[in-house]
Amino acid sequence: MRLRAGLYAIAALAILAPRASFAQERGATALGDALAGLPVSVRVLVIGAHPDDEDNRLLTWLAKGRHADVAYLSLTRGDGGQNLIGNELGEALGVIRTEELLAARRVDGAQQFFTRAYDFGFSKSAAETFTHWPHDTLLTDVVTVVRAFRPQIIIAVFSGTPRDGHGHHQVSGILAREAYDAAGDGAKFPASATKGLAPWTPLKFYRTTSYWSGAGATFHYNAGEYSPLLGRSYAEIAAESRSQHQSQGQGGLQRKGYIPGSVKREESRAPGAPKDPSKESSIFDGVDTTYRRLRGEVSAAQRTRVDSLVKALAKLDMRHDLARPDTLLPELYRASRLARALSDGATGDVQASLTTLLDGLGRADVLASGTAIEATVPREALALGDSMPATITVYDRRAEPEDAPMSLVIDSVTLGGSAISASSAPMKKKIARDSSATWSLTVRASALTAPWWLTPPRTTDLFASAVSTEDAESTVSGTAYASVYGGGREIMRAPLVMRVANPARGEEQRPLAVVPAISVTLDGAVGYARANAPLDRELRVTLRSAYQSPRDVSVRLDLPQGLQADTLTRSISLAGMGAAHTIAFRVRGTLAAGRHTITAVAESGGQEFSTGYIAIRYDHIRPQTIVRPATMAIEAVDAQLPHGVSVAYVQGVGDNSAPMLAELGVPVTVLDAHGLAAADLSRFTAVVIGTRAYESDPSLAAQNARLFEWVSNGGTMVVQYGQREMARPGMMPYPISLSSPAARVTDEASPITVLAPNDPLLAAPNRITDADWRGWVQDRALYMPSTIDSHYQTVIATNDPGEPPNPGGILRAALGRGSYIYTTLAFFRQLPAGVPGAARLFVNLLGPPIASSTPAARAVSP
């Protein structure tokens, strides 16, 4: 009887490969897919600007259909977008969209990279974008990723021209080509500038043309090609991948049949590729996609090993037995031994290719053997500096004849990750077939769990952390994990999780998070108050304990001058094991105009705590944790309220405005479309429809007739911007139209031209001045109309540099005795950010109906 010590310990193994180790696929289909890809050796890097810029069909067709090693490089994490599933914006949204991309990659089989660029919002030109992202700095990031991944082929999603529209798109297309040209230039980019990575020269450069109906394409492919092994077409898989972008509303149908895709070759250095791009039969023309090409890059003594490796890989696919996949193990071991021998001291293409191969061999070995690992902890939250037990179980799940090889030998089990101290259990154990072995270790928390790119905090539109040269799956999943070693190599890895039986949904696996021992959070990060007016507000402090035993905790508020709390401290006994308790302070006083800071501080056992964590939980992504200080910025605004105002507010997409209005003293009742239908509107002086609310809930449009009638009887209706749905008949009392693309003003400091100086919207109850337009964030206005019906009075005009003024920021129309107001100004960003002028202006919009005292504006085509 022989032992399989080392049969599973394939050198995926010599160089860590967490992407394969965390893969979700199992069984014969996954094994067949893994084996089919082993003889293929080619790397393709696709480059775009945002998470949802990816060409999912191309990625899937390459990764699943042609077994290429494919990666998508997104310049940003999509922080500046909007959110259709929740209220997170900015960096929190970037965390969600990062996880959505990784969920997509787990479907389509590609890898994922990012640069340090923060998505600062829509930009109209490459020139403007480069004022936020220094050209040479971001190009260095892209070159660094190219040198780390070492692609033979680079494919840009965008053209790098104004045709791309968004300035970020243009920049991604520009940098993709520049990186293709410069990644091999050691003089322009020495290794010291790219994290020690040597120059790398890609062979071919393409741009996708699928988004442009194939215009100018030099190669066409059928993304709808059916895979008998996978049981679906590549387009169907791509649609599932695309649908992971739920925050951006990208869910789509999984269509069958012929679905075209195309690319355009722009440059080639590949020997043997046709000079005429239109003569290509494959994007791989001129590129040897087998391991035979390594013969030209190794010593004469190593060439025989290359030949043996190629033969061994070909034999593996021929030997595939679905009923007895374990019979592949000797051949897998032989191929891995050859690959390890070739990889010793390898550099350049040899190193990159063999790293990928060892990754694939390791995955195939685990699938063929049925080996599995579980790494569990008793709690999902561990206090910083604390420890708890972890249980690691390795299973050999073969149920095979008695005469078959039957033992798996594990040399050691270790714990590691960015948030815990490394530890190991070196006890060697032999695992018989259809059995398991268990190790008990201690997890010690050494750092808080948080998205690594948010530390240290960013101060510009580039994240302060260095660009990562690892597949993003490994950097996100690497917070706390267990590794299993055999034969001197890592066999597999699994994240430390708490397993929970949810009666409604079955098993849930919650990754371990290292959190503050006492988490302290306030209700929000930014709030409003009216300046020099009496403030009487309840401030709530939420405490969560990650200790195992109860603790006595006292809490105080550090308040700015002018405010006092009803008590200096409050004390409670806080139960352990994740217990939470909310403490309310009554804060009274007055604040001078300006920004002030409130800090909550907890004390327990002689230690102070002033940070907390926010959990991000959605069903389609893995749980994430964001750490933030226990502070709240209060913007005291010199604002008066309309007499007797009372507001019904229908929230829109990513809409946090209603609570901000309430903090100014506006009586606000939040309703959804169904609640609005049942509401007694006579209780309200104004109805506010949130950003893109008609899009997020189409049933809301059915309320318009009733709302317009209510307006005509003396109400004020304020509708914040929507997209193209607003141009449909019946959406507004009088029509507008939008150009394609829709007009917008992206410069938050854009000049404001007052078209109606005496209009009450700019005068009562707050006189709007130039100062009120300062300090706005990210956008001034979005989806502004290109034509405006003459029934609307225009109030202001604004524009980006070099463009004509657009009067579509605020439109007001008289309906009977009431006022209908449509605004495309980006209030949904300004109010949650505590911008004072935006608050003063929005309060004015809520005022009583205005009798039209000036001639109505004519239809405008700005």
Side-chain angles (χ1 to χ4, degrees), residues 818-854:
S819 291
Y820 177 93
I821 298 168
Y822 183 69
T823 177
T824 61
L825 295 175
F827 286 111
F828 78 103
R829 295 199 188 278
Q830 313 313 318
L831 297 183
V835 176
R840 286 164 44 83
L841 177 59
F842 200 93
V843 165
N844 282 11
L845 302 186
L846 302 175
I850 301 167
S852 180
S853 58
T854 57

Side-chain angles (χ1 to χ4, degrees), residues 598-624:
I598 296 174
T599 301
V601 181
E603 188 274 332
S604 180
Q607 184 177 0
E608 288 192 342
F609 303 90
S610 57
T611 59
Y613 67 94
I614 305 298
I616 295 178
R617 300 288 188 267
Y618 291 100
D619 289 344
H620 68 300
I621 60 174
R622 293 172 299 194
Q624 297 297 309

Side-chain angles (χ1 to χ4, degrees), residues 14-32:
I15 301 174
L16 201 59
R19 178 173 61 98
S21 303
F22 280 100
Q24 301 299 306
E25 295 176 344
R26 291 291 184 269
T29 295
L31 177 58

Side-chain angles (χ1 to χ4, degrees), residues 707-728:
L707 288 170
F708 294 165
E709 181 180 1
W710 172 81
V711 172
S712 67
N713 288 325
T716 296
M717 182 175 178
V718 180
V719 178
Q720 298 176 71
Y721 97 93
Q723 296 190 350
R724 302 199 176 280
E725 71 277 4
M726 301 308 298
R728 296 201 303 261

Side-chain angles (χ1 to χ4, degrees), residues 12 64 80 97 144 216 301 340 349 375 379 393 409 512 552 575 622 642 664 670 696 699 723 737 774 794 806 812 842:
K64 298 288 189 181
R97 297 188 69 182
T144 300
R340 284 200 304 271
D349 185 29
R379 307 191 306 278
T393 304
V409 174
L512 172 65
D552 291 331
R622 293 172 299 194
L664 289 168
V670 176
S696 63
S699 69
Q723 296 190 350
S737 67
R774 298 177 193 143
T794 58
N806 187 315
R812 174 171 52 78
F842 200 93

Side-chain angles (χ1 to χ4, degrees), residues 319-505:
R319 292 281 304 274
H320 187 195
D321 183 347
L322 294 179
R324 287 291 308 276
D326 60 291
T327 59
L328 289 168
L329 294 173
E331 296 299 333
L332 286 167
Y333 178 62
R334 180 170 180 269
S336 66
R337 183 164 47 83
L338 289 166
R340 284 200 304 271
L342 283 168
S343 68
D344 289 343
T347 59
D349 185 29
V350 178
Q351 180 192 42
S353 300
L354 293 176
T355 298
T356 299
L357 176 59
L358 290 168
D359 179 355
L361 286 166
R363 173 166 164 71
D365 182 271
V366 169
L367 290 167
S369 65
T371 307
I373 177 177
E374 291 178 348
T376 60
V377 289
R379 307 191 306 278
E380 61 181 307
L382 177 61
L384 180 63
D386 202 356
S387 63
M388 69 178 171
T391 302
I392 316 302
T393 304
V394 178
Y395 298 86
D396 184 346
R397 295 184 291 177
R398 297 171 307 139
E400 52 194 7
E402 290 293 334
D403 61 349
M406 58 180 300
S407 294
L408 166 65
V409 174
I410 302 299
D411 294 333
S412 65
V413 173
T414 68
L415 300 180
S418 60
I420 64 174
S421 300
S423 61
S424 64
M427 183 187 304
K428 180 178 289 190
K429 294 190 180 184
K430 183 192 303 182
I431 307 175
R433 61 180 176 81
D434 200 20
S435 62
S436 63
T438 297
W439 288 258
S440 296
L441 292 89
T442 299
V443 183
R444 293 180 173 84
S446 57
L448 294 175
T449 298
W452 65 269
W453 63 91
L454 299 181
T455 305
R458 134 189 105 76
T459 57
T460 68
D461 287 327
L462 293 177
F463 288 108
S465 55
V467 64
S468 175
T469 56
E470 295 183 72
D471 175 16
E473 176 70 26
S474 66
T475 60
V476 171
S477 302
T479 297
Y481 57 83
S483 294
V484 176
Y485 289 83
R489 308 290 181 180
E490 185 184 46
I491 298 173
M492 63 183 73
R493 174 187 293 188
L496 291 172
V497 299
M498 176 187 180
R499 298 178 69 184
V500 177
N502 184 316
R505 294 186 297 182

Side-chain angles (χ1 to χ4, degrees), residues 80-308:
Q82 295 186 42
N83 184 358
L84 293 178
I85 60 174
N87 292 332
E88 297 89 352
L89 293 173
E91 291 174 351
L93 177 59
V95 172
I96 292 173
R97 297 188 69 182
T98 294
E99 270 298 310
E100 289 179 335
L101 260 186
L102 296 181
R105 296 293 78 82
R106 290 191 289 273
V107 173
D108 59 37
Q111 298 184 53
Q112 184 62 51
F113 294 95
F114 297 95
T115 72
R116 289 175 292 169
Y118 173 76
D119 181 353
F120 58 85
F122 190 86
S123 171
K124 292 184 176 178
S125 69
E128 180 195 2
T129 299
F130 279 131
T131 65
H132 294 263
W133 303 337
H135 189 144
D136 290 346
T137 301
L138 203 57
L139 176 57
T140 301
D141 280 6
V142 178
V143 169
T144 300
V145 172
V146 170
R147 289 181 175 181
F149 187 63
R150 301 186 183 109
Q152 284 88 7
I153 299 171
I154 293 177
I155 304 177
V157 174
F158 295 104
S159 69
T161 69
R163 182 184 72 171
D164 300 329
H166 200 319
H168 298 183
H169 296 169
Q170 297 177 46
V171 163
S172 74
I174 291 168
L175 294 180
R177 177 54 193 267
E178 291 181 349
Y180 170 83
D181 293 334
D185 189 340
K188 185 172 183 179
F189 289 97
S192 59
T194 57
K195 305 186 75 169
L197 295 166
W200 174 259
T201 303
L203 297 178
K204 303 178 80 174
F205 183 83
Y206 291 83
R207 296 190 190 273
T208 61
T209 54
S210 300
Y211 293 156
W212 312 104
S213 302
T218 59
F219 175 73
H220 298 264
Y221 61 92
N222 176 19
E225 178 185 345
Y226 177 73
S227 168
L229 179 63
L230 302 175
R232 291 190 292 172
S233 73
Y234 305 120
E236 289 176 278
I237 297 170
E240 181 185 348
S241 172
R242 186 77 179 172
S243 295
Q244 304 308 307
H245 296 283
Q246 293 185 20
S247 69
Q248 305 305 299
Q250 293 294 311
L253 299 176
Q254 298 184 22
R255 299 186 183 279
K256 297 176 176 62
Y258 177 81
I259 296 179
S262 57
V263 294
K264 174 184 178 180
R265 196 184 87 187
E266 190 170 291
E267 187 59 55
S268 175
R269 306 183 182 101
K275 290 185 178 180
D276 182 351
S278 66
K279 303 297 184 183
E280 285 194 330
S281 60
S282 166
I283 66 171
F284 303 119
D285 283 358
V287 179
D288 187 345
T289 62
T290 73
Y291 290 94
R292 290 189 182 90
R293 74 169 183 277
L294 302 187
R295 297 183 88 256
E297 302 181 42
V298 299
S299 66
Q302 292 275 54
R303 288 172 189 159
T304 302
R305 283 179 172 162
V306 173
D307 295 337
S308 298

